[in-house]
Amino acid sequence: MTDPKAIQPSELDQLPDRDPEETAEWQASLDAVTKAAGPHRAAYLMRRTLERAEGAGIALPKLLETDYVNSIPTADEPAVDGDEALEQRITAWNRWNAAAMVTRGSKHGVGGHIATFASAAWLYETGFNHFFRGKEGDGSGDQLYIQGHASPGIYARAFLDGRLGEEQLDNFRREAGGNGLPSYPHPRRLPWLWEFPTVSMGLGPISAIYQARFNRYLTSRGIKDLTNSHVWAFLGDGEMDEPESTTALTLASREGLDNLTFVINCNLQRLDGPVRANFKIVQELEAQFRGAGWNVVKSLWGTAWDELFQLDTDGALVRRLREVPDAQVQTYQTRDAAYIREDFFGKDPQLAEMAKLLSDDKILECFHYSRGGHESRKVYAAYRAALAHKGAPTVILAQTVKGHTLGTGFASKNANHQMKKLSVDEFKDMRDLLGLPIKDSDFVDGVVPYGHPGADSPEVRYLQERRAALGGPAPARRVHPVAPLPAPAEKAFTSFDKGSGSQNVATTMAFVRLVKDLVRDKETGKRWVPIVPDEARTFGMESLFPSLGIYSPKGQTYEPVDRDQLMYYKEAKNGQILNEGITEAGSMADFIAASTSYATHGETMIPFYIFYSMFGWQRTADQMWQLGDQLGRGFLVGATAGRTTLTGEGLQHADGHSPAIAATNPASLTYDPAFAYEVAAIVKDGLRRMYGEAAPGEDPNVFYYLTVYNEPMPQPAKPSAAGVDEGIVKGLYRFNTAESAGLAPAANAPRIQLLGSGTAIHWALKAQKLLAEEWGVSADVWSATSWTELRRDAMEADAALLRGEERIPYVRQALQGAEGPVLAVSDYMRQVPDQIAQWVEQDWSSLGADGFGLSDTREAARRHFGVDAESIVVAALAQLAGRGEVKATAVKEARERYGL
């Protein structure tokens, strides 16, 4: 056997070597360079050769990292198209007012962040002056995802151009009075300014990617041409640790989203200290984004470094920059020239010689101040390069100093994220550094003044002229006057009213059937956006594949394996379905983009996102809060819902709590329908409220969460009693009585009210029969379609009473006069129905599936949790026995009879 150590790499290569002699010559040349000029020179030549190959389109693995220098050499930087001196003054005013706002607010204890915008000011100002398109021009303008901690700088700019006043700045983070400013970008709190909520951190990056993708989707489907819209996401280097920040990078490159630019502010600091203390975050991010297929532009060093790089004739400086860890770079920021000479330059003899040519002031200028993200020319060049690049998204890695211009007490200090104010003396030093005409006498009683050059000053005129040329103010949110969508044909909704007869139908299937009918509507059908995370077949949606198509920017470049089948897998450039693969986070980001298109693009879309209910709210509740903050509209559908309906899958799939989580979101209208006609009534009401004519006092900026089940059951006909539709929407109606169910109870029989939601109503109906036939008890069965809406209505009634208004909660009205105690049951934990207990006048009790799920049959799981029909009977008898209406022995007898 051949010794593996003797095998040369070329022998292991599966590609045949057509000219071994030429190959050997190339290898010998590399060996010769290494021997004569050293390994650094050899590595340099190899990198340059690979870069040339990549530029020529030769198919080679890409370099994942480049040198720790700017991607665009100084000589290649384009001239800034504008007045740089005026832009310097505008930025100075914005720096000042951002710091003043937070400092003045600190006396109220409301907090705020100063250092982030101080580092990122030029990243924003350059964009506002030259790149970010507003909404008053053609199309939708650009979409800006602002880093949340930089919000004071955005408010400061809005103050300079007259969109905000001093009173509002003084109410930063104090909104209760009605004239305040939210801490971060919150569209629900300041809807004329903010479009996209970007805190919690990590949600901005994934949302920006799917927004850029949704822009392409709208264009491809012919809804709106968004070719000229660009998505800009401003992120922090520490923020990139969040899994959502990088989870969709390959989607962006795979679909060629060159309408997207990430700008990552690499100030090397997160909340507690360095982002990568012993490593280099810029290099790590470069490798990550290059590996994912992105175009990477690095803007690391300011022009003060040009002299140093010119002196670096053998690459010693570049090598040293590459090896110094980030935490040490931060230390240089806070130390004197002597320390930097010794620790940075003194490690290499060639650098030590270079340092002799540099003054202390030059060294301090480079290491304390001069960064690529702090110079408009560097940032301008990077943005131009990003927009010019085609075929892939771009990430700009801009190195900055956190706390830049705020003084030595702030810059690069580990604690600067928690530092909320500057002293008067520190403000005066900042004023002198920025060259602002603010007098000492302007500091009245130690309060820092806001600064403004005047509404007719050259700075303000220039700012407003630049924005006018770019299409108006930014950021800005606009809700375009869009006519309400016409209601779909009534037939789609009433088709469920007669029930399913002998056919068993799951409510999941009922919802899918309803959607199939609605997407065929001539007026509104194209507005539907079906979103599914690779579970369409589970939910019976595969029939939509050939009729609607799955969106793909490439269309279908292959022949699908099931092409000869009726429901074949069809991808199309104008496909309507967004099938995202196994990513609930990506699907939610899709949903958010679609659900807010009415504001972002003036195009009303109707998204529905269907998912395993266990993997929705539990996994992506943070994004669902983001959805509410962004005023999104649409339908979330938790399928295969409940703790006991998904047989065999077990604990990890058994949802017993999603309605409880959903109830915490004020924008979520949470429903647990039992029957197909209820699903139809709820969807119909949602279309009316969100997309049609909302009733007075109704907020259309809500979304509906429906739980639907995979358990095929007979679907009854819709009761003919008055008020059923109202009850379905409000959350409760009487489905039947013992009499209407034909159970013929004896005169004066004990009576109980059974409230069930979702699939649990079937157990309640069986219990109703057992109670009548075996125990002589009459039971009425109620469908509780929304425990949460009943609770919210009751809370509003309580608030009205405190205002002196007479109002009775709907749940109390509905149950008024109902005889006997109430027993509520659902396929969720007891706290879901217990939400309404305090407003029910009758004696209350509940059953639920509390605890962890398990794998077994539905019947066994329900017996385990004590929610099956027999368990309901025992609980009902116990309630009645406690009231003296049945014998106490009946409870024990029932337990023994049913084996409980």
Side-chain angles (χ1 to χ4, degrees):
M1 180 179 292
T2 305
D3 182 359
K5 295 182 180 179
I7 300 176
Q8 298 298 313
S10 59
E11 296 178 68
L12 297 173
D13 197 334
Q14 296 183 35
L15 296 175
D17 190 343
R18 295 185 299 175
D19 193 340
E21 184 176 346
E22 183 182 33
T23 303
E25 289 175 358
W26 277 76
Q27 293 171 336
S29 297
L30 181 62
D31 293 341
V33 170
T34 303
K35 183 176 181 179
H40 296 307
R41 178 61 180 170
Y44 174 87
L45 291 174
M46 288 300 299
R47 286 198 302 274
R48 290 294 177 263
T49 302
L50 287 171
E51 288 170 358
R52 175 60 65 88
E54 182 178 331
I58 298 174
L60 284 174
K62 293 184 177 181
L63 285 172
L64 293 185
E65 290 184 34
T66 60
D67 285 326
Y68 201 61
V69 296
N70 295 345
S71 300
I72 303 170
T74 302
D76 292 342
E77 293 170 3
V80 176
D81 180 22
D83 189 324
E84 293 185 68
L86 271 177
E87 292 177 16
Q88 285 277 2
R89 298 214 297 271
I90 290 169
T91 304
W93 284 116
N94 292 338
R95 288 183 182 278
W96 176 273
N97 288 322
M101 180 194 325
V102 177
T103 298
R104 287 166 68 123
S106 66
K107 66 182 180 181
H108 302 289
V110 294
H113 300 288
I114 301 178
T116 295
F117 178 73
S119 67
W122 277 114
L123 303 180
Y124 292 105
E125 294 297 318
T126 304
F128 287 129
N129 289 330
H130 301 282
F131 296 97
F132 304 156
R133 298 177 67 251
K135 293 182 174 296
E136 295 174 4
D138 296 335
S140 299
D142 290 351
Q143 288 78 59
L144 308 180
Y145 288 78
I146 305 294
Q147 189 181 2
H149 292 139
S151 62
I154 309 304
Y155 291 140
R157 193 170 217 273
F159 169 67
L160 201 66
D161 75 3
R163 292 199 290 164
L164 291 175
E166 284 194 19
E167 181 184 359
Q168 289 167 294
L169 297 193
D170 262 350
N171 284 325
F172 173 59
R173 291 194 170 198
R174 294 194 298 151
E175 300 176 77
N179 195 32
L181 300 178
S183 52
Y184 301 127
H186 291 309
R188 187 169 286 275
R189 289 299 181 204
L190 201 62
W192 61 267
L193 180 72
W194 297 120
E195 276 197 287
F196 308 110
T198 50
V199 177
S200 298
M201 288 189 293
L203 299 187
I206 189 172
S207 297
I209 289 173
Y210 280 89
Q211 181 66 58
R213 194 285 200 85
F214 190 71
N215 290 358
R216 290 283 174 86
Y217 170 89
L218 290 179
T219 301
S220 296
R221 290 195 54 216
I223 303 292
K224 185 172 185 178
D225 185 357
L226 297 171
T227 305
N228 293 324
S229 284
H230 200 84
V231 178
W232 302 82
F234 290 84
L235 318 169
D237 47 0
E239 181 179 2
M240 300 310 294
D241 285 343
E242 290 284 3
E244 293 89 351
S245 295
T246 55
T247 188
L249 296 185
T250 53
L251 167 73
S253 60
R254 183 170 66 248
E255 299 204 1
L257 298 182
D258 50 24
N259 60 336
L260 170 68
T261 297
F262 276 16
V263 181
I264 303 182
N265 178 18
C266 298
N267 57 33
L268 314 185
Q269 286 185 254
R270 52 190 179 198
L271 277 60
D272 286 333
V275 178
R276 293 291 183 271
N278 296 298
F279 306 94
K280 302 191 79 62
I281 185 60
V282 168
Q283 298 301 89
E284 178 182 319
L285 291 174
E286 179 183 28
Q288 192 169 21
F289 278 87
R290 282 182 176 272
W294 286 53
N295 175 47
V296 179
V297 177
K298 294 196 289 191
S299 183
L300 308 181
W301 309 111
T303 53
W305 283 83
D306 288 349
E307 179 183 344
L308 277 67
F309 288 121
Q310 289 170 4
L311 294 172
D312 184 31
T313 56
D314 60 0
L317 175 62
V318 173
R319 291 194 299 272
R320 181 67 177 137
L321 289 173
R322 190 164 60 239
E323 69 188 20
V324 176
D326 283 352
Q328 190 63 23
V329 173
Q330 299 297 83
T331 298
Y332 295 148
Q333 177 68 37
T334 64
R335 303 299 291 270
D336 60 20
Y339 178 87
I340 299 171
R341 285 182 186 277
E342 179 182 352
D343 192 85
F344 181 83
F345 292 98
K347 301 293 185 182
D348 185 293
Q350 293 165 309
L351 291 180
E353 289 300 313
M354 178 192 295
K356 293 177 182 178
L357 304 175
L358 304 174
S359 67
D360 285 355
D361 287 344
K362 182 66 175 181
I363 289 175
L364 293 179
E365 181 186 11
C366 289
F367 284 84
H368 284 192
Y369 308 110
S370 186
R371 299 291 188 273
H374 292 326
E375 296 186 12
S376 62
R377 282 180 172 268
K378 303 292 184 185
V379 177
Y380 183 91
Y383 287 5
R384 279 276 174 242
L387 293 179
H389 188 83
K390 300 303 177 185
T394 293
V395 59
I396 295 169
L397 304 175
Q399 187 159 278
T400 66
V401 174
K402 193 167 185 176
H404 183 61
T405 73
L406 298 180
T408 57
F410 260 85
S412 292
K413 295 296 178 67
N414 281 340
N416 64 18
H417 193 77
Q418 280 70 38
M419 296 161 68
K420 312 298 182 187
K421 59 184 178 181
L422 296 174
S423 68
V424 169
D425 288 340
E426 287 171 326
F427 265 110
K428 290 178 179 178
D429 290 342
M430 182 182 178
R431 169 200 64 189
D432 296 340
L433 176 65
L434 297 176
L436 294 173
I438 296 173
K439 302 185 293 293
D440 287 354
S441 59
D442 292 334
F443 292 81
V444 180
D445 297 327
V447 177
V448 57
Y450 293 119
H452 199 292
D456 196 39
S457 64
E459 293 94 330
V460 173
R461 288 201 307 271
Y462 180 85
L463 182 156
Q464 294 175 342
E465 288 168 2
R466 297 302 301 185
R467 290 311 315 157
L470 287 165
R477 182 178 182 271
R478 298 284 186 270
V479 178
H480 304 266
V482 178
L485 293 181
E490 190 70 14
K491 181 181 178 181
F493 304 105
T494 59
S495 62
F496 298 97
D497 289 356
K498 294 181 180 180
S500 62
S502 60
Q503 182 183 8
N504 290 336
V505 177
T507 50
T508 298
M509 295 300 100
F511 176 82
V512 172
R513 176 182 153 190
L514 175 62
V515 169
K516 287 179 183 177
D517 290 340
L518 293 175
V519 296
R520 295 191 188 103
D521 186 86
K522 292 182 179 180
E523 295 290 334
T524 61
K526 70 177 183 179
R527 299 285 172 181
W528 284 85
V529 183
I531 302 168
V532 60
D534 200 37
E535 289 281 4
R537 297 183 193 278
T538 301
F539 307 136
M541 292 174 58
E542 65 268 33
S543 62
L544 297 178
F545 290 168
S547 59
L548 300 184
I550 300 167
Y551 170 73
S552 170
K554 289 185 176 296
Q556 194 153 36
T557 61
Y558 59 92
E559 183 177 354
V561 66
D562 54 359
R563 183 63 182 87
D564 58 339
Q565 299 178 15
L566 181 63
M567 293 183 288
Y568 70 97
Y569 194 83
K570 177 186 176 183
E571 295 187 85
K573 291 182 180 180
N574 63 346
Q576 193 165 349
I577 301 169
L578 292 172
N579 192 324
E580 293 302 355
I582 306 175
T583 167
E584 285 82 9
S587 299
M588 267 308 302
D590 256 339
F591 186 88
I592 292 170
S595 70
T596 54
S597 182
Y598 73 93
T600 308
H601 298 306
E603 293 289 345
T604 301
M605 306 302 289
I606 311 172
F608 79 87
Y609 163 34
I610 188 168
F611 51 88
Y612 264 78
S613 72
M614 183 65 168
F615 304 143
W617 285 89
Q618 174 168 296
R619 188 170 283 183
T620 58
D622 200 12
Q623 286 178 287
M624 289 159 176
W625 194 270
Q626 178 190 14
L627 165 66
D629 194 0
Q630 200 168 321
L631 292 85
R633 306 169 184 173
F635 297 95
L636 296 176
V637 184
T640 60
R643 184 145 278 167
T644 69
T645 61
L646 191 58
T647 55
E649 294 286 358
L651 181 153
Q652 196 65 27
H653 287 64
D655 170 25
H657 53 283
S658 71
I661 304 174
T664 66
N665 191 311
S668 173
L669 277 61
T670 304
Y671 287 91
D672 186 28
F675 306 123
Y677 67 80
E678 293 178 354
V679 173
I682 293 165
V683 172
K684 178 182 177 182
D685 182 70
L687 291 172
R688 174 200 62 79
R689 177 169 177 172
M690 296 184 291
Y691 303 104
E693 296 286 356
E698 278 188 328
D699 182 5
N701 298 316
V702 295
F703 58 92
Y704 283 59
Y705 175 52
L706 283 73
T707 48
V708 292
Y709 298 83
N710 68 327
E711 185 174 12
M713 300 292 288
Q715 294 297 323
K718 183 177 180 179
S720 58
V724 170
D725 282 342
E726 178 189 23
I728 292 172
V729 173
K730 288 190 172 182
L732 182 68
Y733 69 97
R734 181 154 36 199
F735 175 72
N736 71 12
T737 64
E739 291 79 6
S740 66
L743 297 175
N748 300 318
R751 187 174 287 269
I752 190 169
Q753 308 299 317
L754 301 180
L755 276 59
S757 71
T759 194
I761 203 167
H762 298 285
W763 324 329
L765 289 169
K766 182 179 178 182
Q768 179 190 43
K769 186 175 182 181
L770 290 174
L771 284 166
E773 295 177 350
E774 300 186 13
W775 304 99
V777 172
S778 298
D780 300 339
V781 176
W782 300 69
S783 180
T785 53
S786 180
W787 309 102
T788 304
E789 286 306 293
L790 291 173
R791 175 179 176 81
R792 287 177 178 166
D793 171 81
M795 291 173 65
E796 290 171 5
D798 285 354
L801 284 173
L802 293 176
R803 296 192 301 267
E805 305 170 16
E806 288 295 329
R807 181 174 165 190
I808 301 174
Y810 175 79
V811 63
R812 190 169 294 168
Q813 295 178 46
L815 290 170
Q816 189 171 20
E819 183 183 347
V822 168
L823 175 60
V825 61
S826 77
D827 204 16
Y828 299 96
M829 54 201 306
R830 285 179 60 184
Q831 77 178 62
V832 174
D834 283 349
Q835 291 179 88
I836 66 170
Q838 72 186 83
W839 292 281
V840 175
E841 294 181 314
Q842 294 86 346
D843 291 342
W844 173 273
S845 184
S846 64
L847 297 174
D850 285 81
F852 289 111
L854 75 165
S855 296
D856 213 311
T857 63
R858 292 182 177 120
E859 293 75 16
R862 286 161 189 166
R863 176 58 57 92
H864 170 81
F865 286 111
V867 293
D868 60 350
E870 292 79 6
S871 297
I872 294 173
V873 169
V874 172
L877 293 173
Q879 270 191 290
L880 292 169
R883 294 162 57 96
E885 297 181 20
V886 300
K887 294 179 180 180
T889 56
V891 180
K892 180 182 178 186
E893 183 184 345
R895 283 202 306 266
E896 292 175 349
R897 180 181 300 182
Y898 301 134
L900 297 177

